[in-house]
Amino acid sequence: ILKLPLAGSTMVAALAAAFISGLLRVFVAARFLGLILHTIAGIVGGRGEYYNALTTVTYAMVAPVAGILVAAVLSFIPVVGVVVGVIVLALTLGHGLGMLYKSTKELYAIDMVSTLVVISALTIAVIGAVWLAAILNITSVGSFTSFVPGR
């Protein structure tokens, strides 16, 4: 059916490594986003613990992760699968963002405007950090050897 360069136990090992690596990345990302959310919500005046931020972020990640899984499976269906996958992704990403907004509002006991400020600040912080890391990586300013004299 699918001709892949890996075969047998090598294929299983590669898939297991990819799964564990992805799981670890999502785990670290959830902790990181929870910390940022907790910090921003505390500054805005929210009354909540770090656990509330972790619950908020984890709860909001469930629908998009399921949508990505379904869209990946649908992408194997020619033409129609990609279109349906885009629709599924749009629905699940919207659902995840709605859950992030609503659970932040409820768990931190803040009003709608403050929740909007928290979510906007979180989005700007994450996009800005990823953008800056990409720029530093592209220009090689982020490497230690660029600061060493004589190199």
Side-chain angles (χ1 to χ4, degrees), residues 67 70-72 74-75 77-91:
V70 170
L74 287 173
S75 70
I77 302 172
V79 183
V80 177
V82 175
V83 173
V84 174
V86 167
I87 293 170
V88 167
L89 280 176
L91 289 172

Side-chain angles (χ1 to χ4, degrees), residues 22-112:
L23 192 64
L24 185 63
R25 287 178 189 184
V26 169
F27 180 74
V28 170
R31 298 250 177 197
F32 179 67
L33 288 174
L35 179 65
I36 295 172
L37 180 71
H38 177 65
T39 304
I40 295 170
I43 291 170
V44 172
R47 296 180 307 271
E49 307 271 329
Y50 173 67
Y51 176 76
N52 293 348
L54 206 55
T55 302
T56 297
V57 169
T58 305
Y59 185 55
M61 290 174 96
V62 171
V65 167
I68 290 169
L69 177 67
V70 170
V73 171
L74 287 173
S75 70
F76 287 108
I77 302 172
V79 183
V80 177
V82 175
V83 173
V84 174
V86 167
I87 293 170
V88 167
L89 280 176
L91 289 172
T92 57
L93 290 173
H95 192 74
L97 190 58
M99 285 192 295
L100 179 68
Y101 187 82
K102 181 69 174 175
S103 59
T104 301
K105 179 185 173 304
E106 294 299 325
L107 291 176
Y108 276 93
I110 51 180
D111 60 344
M112 301 278 273

